[in-house]
Amino acid sequence: MDGDVAVGVKRGSEELTIYSSSPTSMTANGSDTKKQRLDESPPSRVLHIRKLPNEVSETEVIALGLPFGKVTNILMLKGKNQAFLELGTEEAAITMVNYYTTVTPQVRNTPVFIQYSNHKELKTDSALNQRAQAVLQAVSAVQDGSSPSSDPGVLDLAPPPSPVLRIIIDNMFYPVTLDVLQQIFSKFGTVMKIITFTKNNQFQALLQFSDPVNAQQAKLSLDGQNIYNSCCTLRIDFSKLVNLNVKYNNDKSRDYTRPDLPTGDGESANKDHSLLGTPSGALASYSSGGGYSNSLSLSQGGGAISPLSAAAAAAAAAGRVALSGSGVSGVLLASNLNEEMVTPQSIFTLFGVYGDVQRVKILYNKKDSALIQLSDGNQAQLAMSHLNGQKVFGKVMRVTLSKHQTVALPREGLDDQLLTKDFSGSPLHRFKKPGSKNFQNIFPPSSTLHLSNVRDGVGEDDLRLLFSNSGGTVKAFKFFQDRKMALIQMTSAEEAIQTLMELHNYDMGGNHHLKVSFSKSTI
């Protein structure tokens, strides 16, 4: 066994009190009651992990540290629901603590607490914990690219048989696109090829790394993790295949080593179960380091891998994925609307933040309700998940899926109250252009709005006045460096919704129309 890897249990119980009651450790996360006392400890490559769930495995604890660097030691205190993890360098430990300061680490959907230990290294008796020794040695071998010498039966960590992983997505409440998989798995190595398909009514994928060691690291870290909060669980096994044969670069398959492959448009389905992902032309914005790359990591709050925030399902809009044969219609029913204030145009603008609205019909006999038809069922689900329960013009709006498949247009001359409008040819659709940056900037309603396409010469005072005149109070404002974009903060999400409906596409003169969307930022 390598000299820099040691595992086991502490020799004396008296040493445990140093960790469990230490007033000099720095908590990396959350609302722990001890946080006030734990704030002056200097960084250490040994981390103290507390409040672990019962029966947690060594593998799960190691997985917390694996994305940040080499794990050189582990100590499990199962009776105390605690563990100690030693990383190869202090820098790796600092990166891990800093990350988990903003993202609550989760093990088995339970928040855990990570802090610097007041010991600089773990001195353990490896003879007392054979399982931990085998686990860590196997992981170390994977990280070093060599074959583990421990008994592979201990943890099923035999030398990786293949660079190809078979991925099954359980509880797929949100669509998962090919590009999202590429971003998640590329954290562990170069992803060369992906093929997606549906089998037994489940979305599955085959994903090929350049090196089997990378595949093993990804499997170790990601198997059983959720992509989005409490859903889209990854089930990962090695495939019996050692090489994937990809014929087309499109929404269902991709060979990142062969950008010259045809899209095979005829193959790319309009079946309910198909993964209609981002067209291959949009690939560069993801693979070149754009897209979601910086925001994908392990154990985001709620047990999710990915803090895509609301862009969690933005990928859904980007990918236009049909949920395994669910055949969800693209029509929503919005009810409890303020009938004195809403119009087809204002509904189009608000719902258009989450999808391309084709038609809006305010119901003739129930004018506090409206049918909204979007491009597909995924955009409809995205809009419903973000807008249901939001306060609009003083009333809490309810949004549900409609049983209607389309919104019918009235016969000519019969809609004298102008309650129905066809927006299918609107130039204001945000998601019409493949690979548009709008796909990456879908966020829930918030008090902060993002403004773009600001005309030259328009200053902060002009924009503050414009938004104040729309019935809101501007709390804060900030221009971006080029002054073509800005953030503006209203007093509430309700005010922001109202001003967005009124001012998105506002004509600022000189053929400049203001673009307004919700922001994840605060000022």
Side-chain angles (χ1 to χ4, degrees):
M1 181 167 169
D2 292 343
D4 63 339
V5 175
V7 274
V9 295
K10 273 283 180 190
R11 292 189 182 90
S13 60
E14 72 281 355
E15 294 185 66
L16 303 182
T17 59
I18 295 172
Y19 294 93
S20 57
S21 61
S22 167
T24 60
S25 300
M26 179 174 169
T27 300
N29 36 46
S31 55
D32 188 12
T33 55
K34 293 189 180 182
K35 186 175 182 182
Q36 302 305 317
R37 296 190 280 117
L38 307 173
D39 58 0
E40 297 299 331
S41 181
S44 164
R45 66 190 182 102
V46 179
L47 300 176
H48 182 197
I49 305 170
R50 296 185 292 115
K51 299 198 175 181
L52 288 163
N54 293 329
E55 305 306 319
V56 68
S57 71
E58 291 86 349
T59 315
E60 291 168 294
V61 176
I62 291 170
L64 286 171
L66 201 57
F68 303 95
K70 183 166 182 172
V71 177
T72 52
N73 203 342
I74 181 173
L75 166 62
M76 302 291 290
L77 308 176
K78 293 196 174 179
K80 291 180 173 284
N81 298 91
Q82 298 180 19
F84 298 94
L85 204 62
E86 181 185 276
L87 277 79
T89 65
E90 192 174 286
E91 289 74 20
I94 291 170
T95 302
M96 180 172 168
V97 168
N98 288 345
Y99 176 75
Y100 287 131
T101 300
T102 55
V103 174
T104 303
Q106 304 258 341
V107 176
R108 299 192 182 186
N109 287 330
T110 301
V112 299
F113 295 91
I114 300 175
Q115 61 202 50
Y116 295 121
S117 165
N118 53 5
H119 283 221
K120 293 299 182 184
E121 62 178 330
L122 278 182
K123 294 175 182 175
T124 52
D125 187 346
S126 58
L128 296 179
N129 195 337
Q130 294 297 322
R131 177 184 170 83
Q133 180 176 341
V135 171
L136 189 57
Q137 189 176 6
V139 172
S140 178
V142 168
Q143 290 180 311
D144 292 340
S146 58
S147 297
S149 57
S150 58
D151 176 7
V154 173
L155 235 199
D156 192 25
L157 279 174
S162 165
V164 180
L165 296 175
R166 183 178 65 116
I167 302 157
I168 297 174
I169 311 288
D170 283 343
N171 304 317
M172 192 161 146
F173 298 146
Y174 288 110
V176 176
T177 67
L178 182 147
D179 285 303
V180 168
L181 288 176
Q182 191 267 344
Q183 286 299 313
I184 292 170
F185 282 83
S186 63
K187 186 174 184 65
F188 298 90
T190 303
V191 175
M192 298 178 69
K193 303 172 186 179
I194 305 177
I195 296 172
T196 63
F197 55 98
T198 299
K199 185 176 180 182
N200 300 329
N201 208 31
Q202 273 190 315
F203 174 69
Q204 301 190 22
L206 293 170
L207 183 145
Q208 181 176 339
F209 280 97
S210 58
D211 190 322
V213 168
N214 302 139
Q216 183 148 11
Q217 279 187 286
K219 180 179 182 296
L220 181 66
S221 287
L222 298 178
D223 186 31
Q225 298 280 345
N226 297 328
I227 297 179
Y228 306 141
N229 286 344
S230 304
C231 68
C232 298
T233 307
L234 290 165
R235 305 292 178 206
I236 303 171
D237 288 303
F238 284 105
S239 170
K240 292 174 182 167
L241 300 171
V242 292
N243 185 46
L244 298 179
N245 181 22
V246 176
K247 295 180 179 177
Y248 302 110
N249 280 340
N250 57 26
D251 36 42
K252 294 162 70 176
S253 61
R254 194 78 51 78
D255 185 338
Y256 296 93
T257 68
R258 296 276 314 277
D260 56 321
L261 286 178
T263 58
D265 290 332
E267 303 291 320
S268 134
N270 281 312
K271 301 172 185 173
D272 281 341
H273 62 259
S274 64
L275 183 66
L276 304 183
T278 309
S280 54
L283 173 60
S285 66
Y286 295 90
S287 60
S288 61
Y292 313 118
S293 56
N294 293 328
S295 58
L296 285 161
S297 267
L298 286 172
S299 304
Q300 170 69 355
I305 292 165
S306 145
L308 292 181
S309 60
R320 290 191 169 69
V321 135
L323 295 176
S324 341
S326 58
V328 175
S329 95
V331 180
L332 297 172
L333 173 65
S335 56
N336 201 38
L337 301 171
N338 184 331
E339 57 186 272
E340 302 297 322
M341 301 297 292
V342 298
T343 63
Q345 182 66 47
S346 65
I347 292 171
F348 164 79
T349 302
L350 177 57
F351 282 76
V353 172
Y354 302 105
D356 291 339
V357 176
Q358 304 299 308
R359 294 175 181 176
V360 176
K361 178 192 285 286
I362 295 175
L363 303 186
Y364 182 82
N365 293 321
K366 201 174 187 317
K367 291 190 174 64
D368 71 344
S369 299
L371 293 171
I372 303 107
Q373 180 179 335
L374 290 104
S375 290
D376 58 43
N378 303 292
Q379 291 186 4
Q381 288 205 331
L382 190 63
M384 178 176 70
S385 68
H386 289 313
L387 294 177
N388 181 41
Q390 294 291 340
K391 211 169 185 184
V392 182
F393 294 121
K395 298 184 74 174
V396 176
M397 177 173 66
R398 298 296 170 207
V399 183
T400 58
L401 291 170
S402 168
K403 63 180 185 293
H404 295 283
Q405 295 299 309
T406 59
V407 171
L409 293 173
R411 277 176 284 180
E412 199 169 342
L414 293 184
D415 186 19
D416 54 357
Q417 296 184 41
L418 303 177
L419 299 176
T420 304
K421 189 160 183 184
D422 185 358
F423 294 97
S424 57
S426 172
L428 300 183
H429 287 156
R430 296 178 188 246
F431 307 105
K432 195 164 45 178
K433 186 178 174 185
S436 164
K437 284 187 178 178
N438 292 335
F439 289 128
Q440 300 165 34
N441 294 307
I442 300 176
F443 302 106
S446 67
S447 59
T448 306
L449 295 168
H450 180 275
L451 315 182
S452 60
N453 206 34
V454 177
R455 184 183 176 184
D456 287 344
V458 173
E460 177 177 338
D461 290 344
D462 301 316
L463 290 167
R464 280 179 175 267
L465 183 63
L466 179 65
F467 278 75
S468 298
N469 287 343
S470 294
T473 302
V474 177
K475 286 186 67 180
F477 182 92
K478 179 177 142 188
F479 260 124
F480 286 63
Q481 195 168 1
D482 62 2
R483 298 182 71 84
K484 289 182 168 52
M485 294 190 290
L487 295 176
I488 191 163
Q489 190 171 338
M490 313 303 291
T491 56
S492 66
E494 181 185 2
E495 276 191 9
I497 287 171
Q498 187 172 321
T499 50
L500 180 143
M501 287 195 290
E502 187 166 334
L503 295 176
H504 177 61
N505 202 47
Y506 178 82
D507 188 352
M508 306 185 78
N511 202 28
H512 271 73
H513 288 80
L514 185 67
K515 306 299 179 194
V516 185
S517 56
F518 298 114
S519 173
K520 65 177 178 180
S521 305
T522 53
I523 304 172

